[in-house]
Structures are given as C-alpha cells and as structure tokens.
Amino acid sequence: MPTFQPASVDSFRPSVRVLPSATVSGRLLCLPLALLAACPAPAQVPANYLNEQPVRARHAMVVTIHHDATDAGLQILREGGNAVDAAVAVGFALAVVYPEAGNIGGGGFMLIRPSSRQLNGGQPVFLDYREEAPGSAGANMYLDAAGNVIPQMSITGFHASGVPGAVAGLTFAEQHFGRLGLAKVMAPAIRLAREGFALPAQEAGDLHAGNLARFAASRRIFQRDGNYYQPGEIFRQPQLAATLERIARNPATFYHGKMAAQIAAFEAANGGMITAQDLARYRVKERTPLLGHYRGLQVLTAPPPSSGGIVLIEILNMLSGYNLPSLGPDRSANQIHMIVEAFRRAYMDRSDYLGDPDFNRMPLERMASEAYAAAWRKTIGPFSPTPSAKLVRPAGFLPAASTPLHPQLDSNQTTHFSIVDADGNAVSSTYTLNFGFGSGVTVDPLGFLLNDEMDDFTSKVGVPNGFGLIQSSANAIAPGKRPLSAMTPTIVSEPPVCPASAKAVAERQSSSVYYLPLPAGCEPGKLRLVLGSPGGSTIITTVANDLISVVDNHLNIQAAADAPRFHHQYLPDILQFEKAFPVATVDAMKARGYSTRRAAEFDEKSAGVWGDSELIEVDPAGGELLGGHDHRHTFGKAAGY
Ligand code: DON
C-alpha cells in the first residue's frame, strides 16, 4: 500500500477552500499546499510590463517555458517541419528539460489550426490525450469508511495517476499531421536526455520538491539522493533517453508492447492501479474544437473534457455586451469588475454541468448562446459584486443543475507552448502532470514521472479539489473516464474568407458552438493569436485576460503575457490578485464589497504569481509574428526566424 501524508494544514481551512497557496503564491507550478515548503521564489511580474516588446519574426515562431525546448522546436521548423512537427519536438523536449510539467507520464490537449486546405483540408483538429481513470477506479475511491476524502490520496503516490496519454497524443499528432517522422522530431529530446542540459537556477530549486523525495527512483534521479543538483549543473537522464529511443523506434510499445508490460509490472509491485489492459485500451480522441465569437474574431478553443473552452466562450459572450475600454484602461477597477462578474457566472456553470463528454450530456449550445449571456448580463450591477451565494442562474436556458442531467451514456503541473510555422499553421498545446512533478512517482527503470490527474475528478460532490474547485457528479470517477480539465489551448483568427455563394452557409455554421467544416470555396481567415497557460483553475481566467488585454485594450502580446493577474472562480467567493497587483486597485475592489486576497501576501520568499502565458500574435498590419514569453519564468523564450 502506498503511504499517504495527511495535509496537516487542513484544520484551518474554510469548508470551501481558497486556491491553494501553491497555486497562487510561490509557484506557477502548483505544488499542493502540503509541499509548498519546497518551492523556491519565481520571478516577479515586471513593474514596467507595459513598455516591454515582443520578439519579432518574419516566418515562424516558437514560445515555450524552456529555452532548450524552444530551440528544439525552432530547429525542427528550420529543417522543414511544420507546426505539428515542431509541437511534437517541443512536447518531448519539455518532458526532458521541464520534468515539473513536461511529460510522457501525463496527458493534455493539442489544438491544430491549418492556415489553408493544404493541412488536413483546412480543418482544425483538437487532440484529446487526457489521462483516463484506470479500470479499477471508482467513484468513492478517495473516501474513507466515514465517507470523508482522504487527504493527498489523489495527489501523491501510486493511487493518484490516471492512464497516461502523452505518448499516444504526441505520436498520433506526428503520424497524422506531421511531415518529418518521429525519429527526426524526437531527436532533440533524446539528445537533451542523453547529453544533458544546464539546469536553470529556478529549475534547480524546483527539484527540491517534497513529493520527489518520497519515492526512491524520483529521489535518485532528480535529487541525487540528497546531493541536490546546483544551478548551471548538467542534468543527464540516461534512463529517460533509452525510453525515448524505444518510443521513437516503436511508439506502440508504451501501450501494447514490452514497455507497457514494464509499466504494469512496476505499478503492480508498488500497489499502483495502472494495468496492461488499461494501457492497451487507451486511445487518443480527435474532438471537434469549440467556436466562439468576440469583437468580430473567431475563437477556436478546447471542448470537454476541458471546461476551458465553454467557460471562456461564456465569459467572452457576457463581455461582448460592454465597451471595456470606455470603462477605463486595462486592469482598472471598472474593467476588473465587469470581467470578474463574468468569471463568477461562467465558473458557476462549470461547477454544475461539466465532465467527460463520453459520459455526460452537456448543454453546451445553450451555455454558449448569446441570449443566455444577455440574460446573465442583466444580473451584473455596474459597481458592486454579486455574492456567489446569492447568484441565481437566469431561468429558462439550462436544465436545473439538480435534475439527473448527467446520465452515463455507456454504462480533469502543466505547461503551455505556442507555435506558428512558415505556412501560418498554428499549434496551441497545453499538457500536464497536474501538480508539480505529478504524483512524485518515477517509473523505474523507465525514468519518467507519473501524473496525479485523478485529483481533477470529483472525489466527493461539494468538497473542493486541489485547485479549490467544487465539481459535480458529471465529473465523478469511473473506469475509462477522463477528468474535467481547465486547460484552454486557444487560437483566435479572423472569420473565414468565403465567396458570396458560400457566405450564408458560413454564417449559419458559425452560429454553432462546434467548429463545423469550412464550406466549399471558403479559406481559413487570418491567424491573430495563439494563447494558453498552465495554472489549474486559473488557466481560463488567464487566457481570457490575455485575450481581452490584446483585443480590447491593445496591449502588445509581451505586455499581455506579463500583466499582473486577477482571478475569480465563483467559489470560493474571493477575488484573487497576484502579489504585484497595484495596491490602489485592490483597495478599490475591496471598497466595492469584494473579498480580496493577494497571493502570498505575507510570504516574503514567494513572488505570488500564477500561470505562464506563452503566446504568439500575428501583427494584423504587416503579418509579422510577435512572441510573448511570460517573464515570471526566467528560463523560457520566444524565438523565430
Ligand atoms: O487539467 C487541469 O485543469 C489541471 N490538471 C491543470 C493543472 C495545472 O495547470 C497545474 N499547473 N499550474
């Protein structure tokens, strides 16, 4: 049996937990509260962010949290690869150089938007390679005999992992949409694992994480059994290099072959849940991306099992009824008020309705309707907050949340990267181990960390998960089910360009929340933005704020990435600010009646930041690519040619 460490800090928590300090205080890499002591200080939000300038490139751009991963993607683009080739190269490279979140033992989403009919007939693709609950998982698996959630069980150790999807997802992407083949795109990752890379100071500090110290292989590989790696030291991972070489030769081995047997044997020997059958059953799911509209632009975004897209669309729909710049500048109290009230309302729907679409029927079209957004707007006062406890959903749009609207038809640390290739094809991808270094467990002798994505499920209705999210039975644990996510890879473009004969069809199609095939004769509209971030429950509000900062407030993409963040997720009813947020604005929000919290206010060691926006904008004037790398992290970069 695995050992579980009770979270001793729980005793003073309110019944609805605020965002764990780990999410909003020290690390955007979200170590859970109990492990926070291990967190070093990340960089602060730059005070002069409005004056910063993006990286500029004519042809192609890669933006990631790690400079070695950015270089891997750029190398592949220069060798003739497309955005998908580069994305797969970055995905595998991050698994080596960014073990906090980059992974092959986790899962994620990849949104691919072709710039023309030459790639996938012009059709956008959303790859769901989210982790899946193992066959032995059950709705009450994290409850004790008294029906209480067992602290940490879904977060650390052998019972916390879902069946990993990253290898399936990345190799599927390469095989179906790439040009260069696995051997070529995985070569940079294999080299980085075998020859090693110089550890950035921030990252060397991250490797002190408490969850790694608890498992023998993790302690040996990442902490040299207590002789910690120093900033600048070369970190080599020979076991991981061998694993990646085997995957490059035969990706099926991870799910069906010898490697699957090794993973299953390791799990069985340690009381873990993932079996050979679970691995063999795992499939990548190609899903139809969601389509929203904002200020004349198309917003292509993540469908369930991510909550990100539909919640983003609801937020934008509510905000399209306001002229935000007329209320004040970016991050002004008046703008924040309207945006937060939209956040609150959309997150209420998130907690009541969303889960794995293969296990639930969800009212997405209705949630995305303009009429519903207009009805919500009527409940937003011009100045004061609506307390979440008093929020009443407009009647007549959605089924009552308490009726059985979630029938089971058959029977949810993270990193984001953005890529645009020389043809204008775009990839927006967010993938994760959930909390920093996932479950803390490294599969021996394969050298990769397993996720703790099981915590994204509803362990018990009404009890917050690691991100303080209250979720419904739609997200209850069931074998083969994928946990609800907040990851929101998003691509913004101009509407398609259609001949007069196809305009009516195009308009009709654009009224659906699902992206429908381009009508004959139409070409994809111009690319404008590639967006996304980690940060658990804060992901959606970070993406929304980045989008609003650029589209409404005309910040450049670098300033948008670095702008200080605010967040509200309905419950807990607290307006949260990064530590660097201007004091006067926070006080103004308090004066309006908001309960406010400044991240890590009393923790001098913590920068009090969250999220990590790795963004690309296409300059609408000259078509130049503009890269914005989030300066909360000192070791990533935007680069292009
Ligand atoms: O899928 C989700 O929503 C979470 N597992 C993401 C976790 C995350 O972003 C942690 N990192 N900051």
Side-chain angles (χ1 to χ4, degrees):
M1 275 298 287
T3 50
F4 302 115
Q5 188 139 315
S8 55
V9 283
D10 258 329
S11 50
F12 64 78
R13 280 191 194 136
S15 59
V16 173
R17 205 194 305 175
V18 297
L19 274 173
S21 330
T23 309
V24 295
S25 65
R27 301 296 302 131
L28 62 113
L29 293 186
C30 313
L31 294 173
L33 200 57
L35 306 172
L36 187 60
C39 295
Q44 271 283 4
V45 175
N48 60 346
Y49 71 93
L50 283 172
N51 298 327
E52 300 202 335
Q53 292 304 316
V55 170
R56 293 168 179 273
R58 203 60 265 162
H59 305 288
M61 177 77 75
V62 182
V63 196
T64 85
I65 196 168
H66 202 292
H67 61 98
D68 284 318
T70 297
D71 288 343
L74 200 54
Q75 176 192 329
I76 292 297
L77 290 174
R78 285 183 188 280
E79 287 173 8
N82 64 15
V84 178
D85 291 300
V88 177
V90 166
F92 280 112
L94 284 168
V96 176
V97 298
Y98 193 55
E100 293 94 318
N103 69 81
I104 60 173
F109 303 128
M110 186 182 291
L111 177 61
I112 304 169
R113 181 187 184 267
S115 61
S116 72
R117 290 191 185 265
Q118 281 172 1
L119 179 64
N120 199 41
Q123 211 39 43
V125 180
F126 185 85
L127 297 182
D128 167 4
Y129 59 94
R130 182 88 166 142
E131 300 88 330
E132 216 164 76
S136 61
N140 299 325
M141 64 182 284
Y142 297 122
L143 303 186
D144 63 17
N148 297 317
V149 174
I150 302 169
Q152 291 296 311
M153 189 175 174
S154 60
I155 291 180
T156 306
F158 290 93
H159 277 190
S161 304
V163 182
V167 170
L170 294 175
T171 59
F172 183 98
E174 182 57 34
Q175 286 159 349
H176 289 80
F177 308 104
R179 273 186 204 149
L180 301 183
L182 265 188
K184 206 154 198 172
V185 298
M186 288 185 69
I190 292 167
R191 182 181 46 76
L192 286 162
R194 179 128 348 254
E195 295 173 14
F197 65 100
L199 270 174
Q202 261 183 10
E203 234 192 331
D206 290 348
L207 290 179
H208 292 232
N211 57 347
L212 294 176
R214 292 179 49 191
F215 302 98
S218 303
R219 199 168 50 240
R220 190 185 70 237
I221 292 172
F222 299 104
Q223 303 185 330
R224 229 170 14 199
D225 285 321
N227 176 22
Y228 295 110
Y229 286 93
Q230 299 301 306
E233 244 193 287
I234 300 298
F235 181 43
R236 295 184 184 84
Q237 299 168 80
Q239 284 189 339
L240 181 57
T243 298
L244 292 171
E245 280 162 353
R246 288 168 65 189
I247 293 169
R249 279 197 300 273
N250 172 24
T253 188
F254 192 98
Y255 295 95
H256 302 279
K258 234 176 154 179
M259 196 177 286
Q262 281 176 289
I263 298 168
F266 173 80
E267 285 280 298
N270 291 283
M273 301 189 297
I274 300 169
T275 63
Q277 289 76 13
D278 291 326
L279 289 161
R281 186 175 67 175
Y282 189 85
R283 298 279 178 276
V284 176
K285 299 190 180 178
E286 262 188 271
R287 301 194 187 273
T288 306
L290 299 189
L291 179 67
H293 305 274
Y294 192 60
R295 317 276 188 223
L297 296 169
Q298 290 204 334
V299 180
L300 198 61
T301 187
S306 178
S307 60
I310 188 67
V311 173
L312 178 66
I313 289 171
E314 280 199 46
I315 291 167
L316 296 176
N317 284 350
M318 284 181 236
L319 293 177
S320 32
Y322 306 106
N323 179 345
L324 292 175
S326 75
L327 302 175
D330 193 75
R331 265 64 179 174
S332 59
N334 283 339
Q335 276 207 22
I336 293 172
H337 168 70
M338 289 306 180
I339 295 169
V340 165
E341 292 307 313
F343 288 173
R344 183 198 305 277
R345 286 157 175 79
Y347 271 77
M348 182 189 193
D349 287 350
R350 181 196 193 279
S351 42
D352 284 340
Y353 292 102
L354 301 178
D356 184 339
D358 297 335
F359 287 73
N360 294 287
R361 280 192 206 96
M362 292 172 282
L364 298 190
E365 293 279 5
R366 295 182 197 198
M367 292 168 89
S369 85
E370 304 279 353
Y372 181 49
W376 263 133
R377 270 198 301 274
K378 287 196 185 127
T379 70
I380 301 178
F383 190 82
S384 302
T386 314
S388 292
K390 293 195 173 147
L391 198 58
V392 179
R393 183 176 284 118
F397 293 92
L398 304 188
S402 58
T403 53
L405 54 110
H406 312 298
Q408 302 253 336
L409 293 181
D410 195 346
S411 44
N412 180 33
Q413 189 73 31
T414 309
T415 186
H416 174 84
F417 50 92
S418 297
I419 298 175
V420 176
D421 68 22
D423 293 325
N425 301 308
V427 170
S428 172
S429 184
T430 317
Y431 78 143
T432 185
L433 289 167
N434 198 23
F435 290 106
F437 304 101
S439 64
V441 172
T442 298
V443 180
D444 215 10
L446 299 173
F448 68 87
L449 282 157
L450 281 170
N451 67 85
D452 57 354
E453 219 67 59
M454 293 297 285
D455 190 64
D456 277 353
F457 278 118
T458 309
S459 288
K460 183 178 178 178
V461 174
V463 177
N465 74 354
F467 292 103
L469 289 164
I470 308 277
Q471 314 189 96
S472 75
S473 59
N475 189 32
I477 305 169
K481 192 172 175 184
R482 300 185 179 195
L484 187 61
S485 174
M487 295 188 289
T488 316
T490 295
I491 300 178
V492 179
S493 66
E494 294 179 2
V497 182
C498 297
S501 57
K503 280 216 159 95
V505 183
E507 248 163 53
R508 208 166 43 245
Q509 290 196 351
S510 75
S511 68
S512 166
V513 72
Y514 294 102
Y515 185 96
L516 298 173
L518 265 184
C522 299
E523 285 296 325
K526 277 192 193 148
L527 177 67
R528 288 289 297 278
L529 292 166
V530 187
L531 304 173
S533 173
S537 57
T538 67
I539 292 173
I540 311 169
T541 59
T542 296
V543 172
N545 278 332
D546 291 344
L547 197 157
I548 291 162
S549 287
V550 174
V551 171
D552 289 281
N553 296 321
H554 306 296
L555 265 60
N556 76 46
I557 198 77
Q558 183 61 60
D562 286 338
R565 298 189 168 124
F566 58 93
H567 171 77
H568 197 293
Q569 60 183 50
Y570 170 56
L571 292 175
D573 192 349
I574 296 174
L575 172 51
Q576 313 209 36
F577 292 93
E578 286 186 324
K579 201 188 238 178
F581 217 95
V583 176
T585 315
V586 177
D587 287 348
M589 299 313 290
K590 225 182 270 175
R592 286 168 182 246
Y594 284 95
S595 293
T596 63
R597 179 173 300 244
R598 185 185 291 281
E601 191 164 8
F602 302 112
D603 178 356
E604 286 170 11
K605 286 198 192 132
S606 167
V609 297
W610 66 80
D612 180 69
S613 295
E614 304 293 342
L615 314 174
I616 300 177
E617 180 181 12
V618 183
D619 185 344
E624 208 178 11
L625 296 169
L626 312 174
H629 155 66
D630 194 324
H631 287 123
R632 290 167 184 78
H633 267 100
T634 54
F635 50 91
K637 74 174 178 189
Y641 72 92

